[in-house]
Amino acid sequence: MTHTILCLPKRVRTLMIVLIGAISLTAVAAEAQSGTAEFEIRKDSSRPHNPYYVRGKVIIAAPREQVWSVLTDCSALTDIVPQIKSCDVEQKGEHWDIRRHKLKSGLFNVTSVLRSDYVHLEKVTMRRVAGGMKVHDGVWTLNPVSADVTELHYEAWSKPNFWVPDWMINKIMRKDVPIILANLRVAAEHAQRTQLSHG
């Protein structure tokens, strides 16, 4: 198929590449929605402010080192998390940093400042420091299934500092959470294939 595309006129080749890219992105979204990424969303009345609780899990065909590299890369978040429009590291210490996220979801724009604590290759724990979220805490846990496969777990609690209808938050999360998990999987597996091809 690659040889056939290369033989086409330049304008047709460009259109074909764009169409193939669009189909691939649609497939990623459809795969995420179809249950490849396991997830649950509910309200957590056991915590102050009754935040939304999200639990997710995804199996990634890449070693923990590759998943960790993608997961902790601030600059990669804008391609992985639909709501994050920018990520800046404001402070950094040994095994921790403070990041400022600019979030946009629908009509809402929010800045969230989080502290992340790192247990190398095992866990990232996040907690709210400041910003427009009343609750914004979470944890990523990496479990090795084998040398080349990682099970990534996600738990998070969130609630904005302003009123938003519950149905709207639920709808946004149900759309975005599986896509985030699928995007992480795609990014880590792509990085692993690239590394192997150059190795």
Side-chain angles (χ1 to χ4, degrees):
M1 181 176 177
T2 303
H3 176 73
T4 304
I5 291 174
L6 291 174
C7 292
L8 295 170
K10 184 176 179 181
R11 290 178 66 181
V12 177
R13 286 204 314 268
T14 302
L15 179 59
M16 287 284 289
I17 291 167
V18 170
L19 286 172
I20 291 168
I23 291 167
S24 299
L25 289 173
T26 303
V28 168
E31 188 177 3
Q33 297 289 355
S34 69
T36 299
E38 178 186 315
F39 73 103
E40 170 197 1
I41 298 171
R42 60 178 168 81
K43 272 198 158 182
D44 188 350
S45 58
S46 69
R47 287 198 166 215
H49 311 300
N50 297 321
Y52 265 92
Y53 169 75
V54 176
R55 178 189 62 81
K57 180 180 77 173
V58 63
I59 303 295
I60 302 174
R64 278 195 302 175
E65 291 80 1
Q66 204 65 264
V67 178
W68 181 265
S69 179
V70 172
L71 184 63
T72 58
D73 182 358
C74 191
S75 63
L77 282 181
T78 55
D79 293 325
I80 290 169
V81 183
Q83 306 99 318
I84 293 181
K85 301 309 169 187
S86 67
C87 175
D88 297 296
V89 178
E90 297 193 331
Q91 297 180 48
K92 192 168 186 176
E94 188 176 5
H95 310 306
W96 66 272
D97 62 29
I98 293 178
R99 299 181 176 195
R100 179 177 295 271
H101 294 165
K102 290 187 178 177
L103 311 171
K104 180 175 176 61
S105 187
L107 299 174
F108 305 108
N109 292 279
V110 181
T111 296
S112 181
V113 182
L114 302 172
R115 173 179 168 128
S116 296
D117 291 277
Y118 303 97
V119 179
H120 185 61
L121 299 182
E122 293 182 12
K123 184 180 291 188
V124 180
T125 304
M126 302 162 291
R127 62 179 177 83
R128 177 192 179 276
V129 174
M133 297 292 290
K134 185 174 288 186
V135 181
H136 201 189
D137 305 323
V139 58
W140 292 95
T141 307
L142 295 82
N143 296 324
V145 176
S146 68
D148 299 317
V149 178
T150 303
E151 186 177 83
L152 181 63
H153 289 259
Y154 176 56
E155 285 187 292
W157 294 262
S158 61
K159 186 171 185 177
N161 216 3
F162 49 88
W163 183 80
V164 181
D166 283 343
W167 66 265
M168 185 177 291
I169 294 176
N170 194 290
K171 181 178 179 181
I172 290 168
M173 285 185 168
R174 288 195 177 279
K175 179 174 73 73
D176 288 350
V177 170
I179 291 175
I180 292 168
L181 295 173
N183 284 347
L184 272 165
R185 180 179 57 76
V186 169
E189 291 179 357
H190 174 73
Q192 177 67 2
R193 285 194 300 272
T194 301
Q195 180 175 304
L196 291 174
S197 67
H198 291 159

